[in-house]
Amino acid sequence: MISGWRRPGLPADPGGAVIVAVTDTHRSIDAVWKLESAKIIAGLTRLVRDVGLAEELAQDALVAALEQWPDTGVPDNPGAWLMAIAKRRAIDHIRRAQRLERKQEQLAHELDQQRDEPEQEPERDDVLRLMFISCHPVLPTQERVALTLRLLGGLTAEEIARAFLSTEPRIAQRIAGAKRTLAQERVPFELPDGAELAERLSSVLEVIYLIFNEGYSATSGDDLMRPGLCLEALRIGRLLAELSPHEAEVHGLVALMEIQASRSAARTGPSGEPVQLHEQNRGRWDPLLIRRGFSAMLRARDLGGRPGPYVLQAAIAVCHAQARTAEATDWPQIAALYDALSRLLPTPIVQLNRAVAVGMARGPEAGLALVDALVDDPALRDYHLLPGVRGDLLVRLGRHAEARPEFERAASLARNVAERAFLRRRADAIAEEEPAGVTLGQAAEDFLARPELDAATVRSYGQTMRRLCLRLGERLPLASLTADQVARVFATDWGGAAAKTWNRHRSAVRSFCAFVSLDDLAAGLDRRAETRPPTATIDPAGLAALWDPGLPLRERTLWRLLHESAARVTAVLSLDIEHLDLDDRRARAGETWVSWRAETARLLPQLIAGRARGPLFLADRRPAPARMPAAADLCPETGRRRLSYERAEYLFKQATKALDPTGNGYTLRQLRPREPGRR
Amino acid sequence: MRYLMMSKQSDTTPDETLFVEMGKFIEELTASGVLLATGGLEPSGVRLVSTGGEISVTDGPFAEAKEAVVGFALVEVRSKEEAIELGRRFRKIVGDGESVIQQVFGP
């Protein structure tokens, strides 16, 4: 029957037509939803005082629409329809909750009050309140961004995930976490005022600009831009400007985004490569957006007051937009604006941009001096534009030999494919001079290729050498390498690292010096004292909670075994079934014996469950074909791999978070009982 | 993506309510950042025709007045469906008549 239902080659097939109509309606519903959801969720939040609940109720209304509209057609006023359904559910919900609390009288009273409220509180303020909530400082930035796109943009978790090159579950988790936090912290649905307003507003502006920038200069991935995100940010920004018209910074941000967006067509070349501002075809700048940017800027200026960071950045963008050609750019004015901006916002990135402007206004020498002051800033150590700008200034000074390694370094740091290719080309455009003698990169390669090094050492030394090459440039002549340069890399990259990490990198450098027969390049690096705090054991009450039979069998067995045997975690995880002596309650692990007592003995047969050989503790899943472990770490019967230390540790930490007073969770090592007389 | 919505001449004469509702609609679209530009157009206009390199200029009005575009709105939307939905709302306010929605490429 089914095969005859849709005959191929008959486009007018009634079944097919219905399917098309349904998906069309779904797309229209999606469009309506995206236009209306912010208003609906905001209105509901005023009613139920909980953003998470409000969003669920609004989603219920959406589901109702998806069920009914394909049959009945889209109603005349779809927004009002959705709101009416959602409101009815909200009132049902309040009634139910109140009935539970047996406070019906109060409910009637409150509902009456709420029915009066719409006149006092206009709808537009609700949306503004919603913005303040979804950008609330109690939330981590990533959660603010996801929640704002969700609540104000009406985007699904899947759409947000696609825009941020993330996964849907991760975004859904972020949104759920944000809603939970807002409920726990009882964040009120009020507009902040006074000093709080400024602080909260700057959080909203930050989130909007973050969304815009993620779209405008995609930090990773293949495309240079994801225009969808720019559009969302612009829409939310324009909306905010309408809702909060007396804040100069809001108009400043809108002006900044409009003008930046006006260049979007011009900033990528035919094959997707970035085109720098001064090389862009200004005829391709969108005059409509520039005009909108200018009028937003005028509104900000009319409000007066001392210009804030967004107004200053917008003023800089306006300067660029006003120049008919790159040569006509008013660089002295831009440099002056950057001077003011860097006083308000002394971030390394602003300083770097200021260096570019100063380089144009007062010559490359002056710009380079500012860039050089930033070279050791840890915040910029992986920022590709620092060497990029430095290379640019060096080219303008005619110091080509120094510029090339800067562009190479910039290319290796850039995460965006188009940008990396562009920087690589800039490096290649500079004629390569024969490097004098051996370079750092070659020496490092030879150093790591020695046959006497085992794999772990190569990996460890490799990390150190790669970092040195990245920071100092692979093409640096080895002879010119100084202990001072090495010390600076150590200070910026590992200054805050654990003593053990520091010492590991230090010994790698010392070994390298011995290999290339150079004087001690680690001269500027002091060995750091390694102190390990004594491992605290878990108290008896905590232990008792771990033996809960409701926990997974594998975990319970592992923890019991660690506790009873007092053996090393690695030894226990390395156990194979064929080496277990269940009668004698012991097993051989390499050179040592692991022995256990009654509780482990009771659990082991259940865990083994008839398996005859292979690792005792197995991972939950089979390894991906590309990550196949050695045969010894693979169970011949289930095809799963040996449980890793990292995974086992993670699971234990998760399971003990609630028990640990610090909230971090315990480590497996802490399961080992303290031996009397041993510290 | 951007869409241009063009509305053609219709018989309905605008009344007070239409102006109020239209004002509200435009304000809302501007506030939500959707409406980039809008305006009314002189119905008659001027016609330019080039034939074999010769350009002739004729003042309106023209016979097919019904086909003349008398208003436009340039909107920035996420999808074609969103543009259609906005068009629906517009048509609901202005009453009987015809609009055309076309995607704008560039600049």
Side-chain angles (χ1 to χ4, degrees):
Chain A
M1 281 300 279
I2 291 175
S3 59
W5 180 66
R6 273 190 87 180
R7 271 161 301 175
L10 276 180
D13 176 63
V18 169
I19 289 169
V20 168
V22 167
T23 49
D24 266 2
T25 319
H26 280 191
R27 269 193 239 115
S28 320
I29 296 174
D30 185 54
V32 170
W33 173 253
K34 285 191 165 57
L35 289 170
E36 300 292 337
S37 66
K39 260 183 281 174
I40 296 175
I41 294 170
L44 290 172
T45 309
R46 172 150 48 77
L47 221 54
V48 297
R49 303 274 154 181
D50 175 348
V51 178
L53 177 60
E55 208 238 336
E56 274 168 40
L57 293 164
Q59 287 286 340
D60 285 351
L62 176 63
V63 171
L66 286 168
E67 280 167 9
Q68 297 179 28
W69 293 2
D71 296 333
T72 62
V74 179
D76 278 357
N77 191 340
W81 191 97
L82 286 167
M83 190 64 192
I85 296 274
K87 254 193 176 148
R88 213 176 299 147
R89 304 249 158 125
I91 289 171
D92 284 350
H93 177 91
I94 296 171
R95 286 225 174 88
R96 216 165 29 235
Q98 299 281 23
R99 208 177 297 134
L100 283 174
E101 292 174 22
R102 301 182 193 290
K103 282 187 192 164
Q104 277 168 344
E105 265 174 70
Q106 198 187 336
L107 154 78
H109 178 66
E110 272 180 16
L111 277 182
D112 281 346
Q113 268 198 329
Q114 274 159 356
R115 226 161 272 147
D116 294 342
E117 267 174 58
E119 278 78 39
Q120 305 157 7
E121 296 183 76
E123 190 186 66
R124 42 190 288 143
D125 272 6
D126 284 347
V127 175
L128 186 58
R129 285 190 180 90
L130 189 64
M131 274 191 206
F132 277 108
I133 283 195
S134 68
C135 300
H136 199 281
V138 297
L139 302 174
T141 310
Q142 293 288 344
E143 288 186 6
R144 285 183 222 172
V145 168
L147 194 63
T148 301
L149 284 172
R150 169 74 163 185
L151 298 182
L152 276 315
L155 267 61
T156 64
E158 191 205 334
E159 286 167 326
I160 302 172
R162 209 180 314 133
F164 281 90
L165 308 180
S166 185
T167 63
E168 193 184 340
R170 188 171 300 159
I171 295 294
Q173 213 174 1
R174 255 179 224 165
I175 292 169
K179 288 190 214 157
R180 209 176 316 119
T181 311
L182 289 172
Q184 277 164 2
E185 301 280 330
R186 297 180 182 279
V187 171
F189 190 59
E190 307 295 342
L191 286 182
D193 54 9
E196 204 201 342
L197 177 70
E199 187 198 326
R200 296 280 303 277
L201 189 68
S202 82
S203 171
V204 176
L205 297 176
E206 187 198 337
V207 168
I208 297 174
Y209 198 41
L210 247 167
I211 295 171
F212 182 83
N213 267 324
E214 184 58 34
Y216 193 65
S217 47
T219 48
S220 51
D222 293 345
D223 297 331
L224 200 63
M225 288 189 59
R226 289 196 282 279
L229 280 179
C230 289
L231 178 58
E232 291 303 333
L234 261 171
R235 278 172 87 142
I236 299 173
R238 289 168 186 162
L239 182 61
L240 179 63
E242 203 71 25
L243 296 176
S244 193
H246 304 300
E247 298 292 338
E249 278 291 89
V250 176
H251 296 295
L253 172 63
V254 172
L256 176 60
M257 293 194 298
E258 303 270 18
I259 295 176
Q260 287 192 325
S262 78
R263 301 181 202 135
S264 48
R267 63 194 284 275
T268 45
S271 47
E273 75 280 12
V275 180
Q276 290 189 320
L277 185 59
H278 67 272
E279 284 167 352
Q280 285 172 11
N281 174 359
R282 291 172 188 234
R284 297 188 68 201
W285 288 359
D286 182 349
L288 184 64
L289 291 183
I290 292 181
R291 214 192 62 211
R292 288 179 69 98
F294 282 0
S295 44
M297 189 65 197
L298 286 177
R299 249 171 270 145
R301 207 166 278 171
D302 285 348
L303 288 166
R306 266 189 61 197
Y310 289 109
V311 171
L312 284 173
Q313 290 176 76
I316 293 165
V318 165
C319 278
H320 285 300
Q322 280 173 331
R324 296 201 176 278
T325 62
E327 292 68 36
T329 310
D330 187 354
W331 283 109
Q333 170 70 7
I334 293 175
L337 287 165
Y338 267 117
D339 287 344
L341 183 62
S342 67
R343 274 194 295 276
L344 273 184
L345 212 68
T347 65
I349 304 253
V350 169
Q351 304 282 18
L352 184 61
N353 285 326
R354 177 169 164 244
V356 175
V358 167
M360 296 303 286
R362 302 164 206 159
E365 203 94 43
L368 191 62
L370 289 175
V371 175
D372 284 344
L374 294 168
V375 168
D376 292 330
D377 196 312
L380 292 178
R381 74 172 189 214
D382 291 330
Y383 190 54
H384 62 283
L385 287 184
L386 177 63
V389 167
R390 200 162 181 272
D392 222 27
L393 291 165
L394 286 168
V395 166
R396 286 176 51 208
L397 285 169
R399 288 155 68 175
H400 296 278
E402 290 167 76
R404 192 184 154 102
E406 290 292 341
F407 286 126
E408 280 172 352
R409 230 155 56 69
S412 58
L413 287 171
R415 289 198 287 152
N416 182 288
V417 175
E419 226 169 347
R420 195 181 313 143
F422 168 75
L423 289 162
R424 177 83 50 211
R425 268 198 307 284
R426 289 211 63 179
D428 292 343
I430 299 172
E432 194 175 341
E433 287 173 32
E434 250 339 278
V438 186
T439 63
L440 173 60
Q442 284 162 359
E445 211 171 285
D446 297 343
F447 170 60
L448 295 171
R450 283 172 302 154
E452 66 265 30
L453 296 183
D454 60 38
T457 313
V458 169
R459 193 161 27 180
S460 164
Y461 284 2
Q463 282 177 359
T464 316
M465 297 317 298
R466 254 195 311 282
R467 180 58 72 173
L468 282 177
C469 289
L470 203 58
R471 301 280 284 126
L472 301 170
E474 286 189 356
R475 310 198 57 81
L476 182 80
L478 187 61
S480 74
L481 183 63
T482 65
D484 187 45
Q485 282 174 310
V486 176
R488 272 164 53 179
V489 175
F490 267 64
T492 45
D493 287 41
W494 298 304
K500 205 174 165 184
T501 311
W502 172 278
N503 290 339
R504 177 163 63 81
H505 291 302
R506 178 178 173 269
S507 49
V509 170
R510 286 168 61 100
S511 169
F512 177 67
C513 293
F515 171 71
V516 295
S517 352
L518 273 179
D519 291 344
D520 192 3
L521 289 172
L525 311 171
D526 291 327
R527 189 179 167 76
R528 294 188 173 178
E530 289 177 29
T531 48
R532 183 189 284 173
T535 326
T537 46
I538 306 169
D539 61 64
L543 279 176
L546 291 177
W547 311 143
D548 174 8
L551 290 166
L553 175 66
R554 181 191 65 191
E555 268 69 73
R556 268 189 296 142
T557 317
L558 173 65
W559 303 343
R560 270 287 187 195
L561 181 51
L562 283 168
H563 184 62
E564 291 187 350
S565 68
R568 283 183 305 115
V569 182
T570 44
V572 168
L573 288 171
S574 76
L575 291 178
D576 290 323
I577 292 178
E578 58 266 41
H579 296 141
L580 300 183
D581 187 341
L582 293 178
D583 295 333
D584 263 358
R585 291 186 182 171
R586 60 175 196 162
R588 186 141 193 87
E591 302 289 287
T592 56
W593 286 94
V594 174
S595 51
W596 55 88
R597 296 202 299 274
E599 289 300 332
T600 309
R602 210 167 45 75
L603 291 167
L604 273 177
Q606 300 174 46
L607 182 69
I608 295 167
R611 285 183 289 147
R613 59 216 164 90
L616 173 59
F617 295 102
L618 293 176
D620 298 303
R621 271 180 261 160
R622 290 195 195 151
R627 318 189 65 183
M628 203 48 87
D633 289 330
L634 209 58
C635 172
E637 292 170 32
T638 61
R640 292 186 288 165
R641 66 176 298 162
R642 186 184 299 281
L643 179 63
S644 70
Y645 195 142
E646 290 75 18
R647 180 74 187 154
E649 185 84 326
Y650 171 78
L651 290 171
F652 190 61
K653 278 201 166 158
Q654 290 298 314
T656 54
K657 250 186 188 148
L659 303 174
D660 181 9
T662 67
N664 294 324
Y666 294 118
T667 62
L668 287 168
R669 203 183 283 148
Q670 287 172 276
L671 274 169
R672 201 171 177 177
R674 174 74 25 87
E675 287 171 35
R678 193 182 134 177
R679 293 211 48 158
Chain B
M1 51 182 91
R2 288 179 181 176
Y3 279 86
L4 184 66
M5 183 166 76
M6 290 155 292
S7 300
K8 296 180 180 171
Q9 187 102 283
S10 72
D11 302 328
T12 38
T13 36
D15 60 356
E16 192 65 21
T17 25
L18 191 147
F19 278 119
V20 172
E21 276 188 54
M22 188 54 80
K24 242 182 84 187
F25 182 61
I26 289 177
E27 200 179 306
E28 194 194 321
L29 285 190
T30 312
S32 55
V34 174
L35 188 63
L36 294 180
T38 183
L41 304 176
E42 162 199 16
S44 48
V46 178
R47 178 174 293 180
L48 287 94
V49 181
S50 43
T51 24
E54 286 285 306
I55 298 173
S56 64
V57 180
T58 331
D59 275 322
F62 304 102
E64 62 280 21
K66 278 267 180 198
E67 284 303 308
V69 172
V70 291
F72 78 96
L74 182 63
V75 291
E76 186 139 58
V77 290
R78 301 177 180 94
S79 62
K80 183 175 149 199
E81 285 74 19
E82 211 168 283
I84 296 173
E85 175 59 27
L86 296 174
R88 275 164 39 89
R89 292 183 191 187
F90 172 79
R91 292 271 23 134
K92 203 141 278 166
I93 295 171
V94 294
D96 291 352
E98 188 182 335
S99 293
V100 176
I101 300 177
Q102 283 171 293
Q103 187 173 352
V104 179
F105 301 113

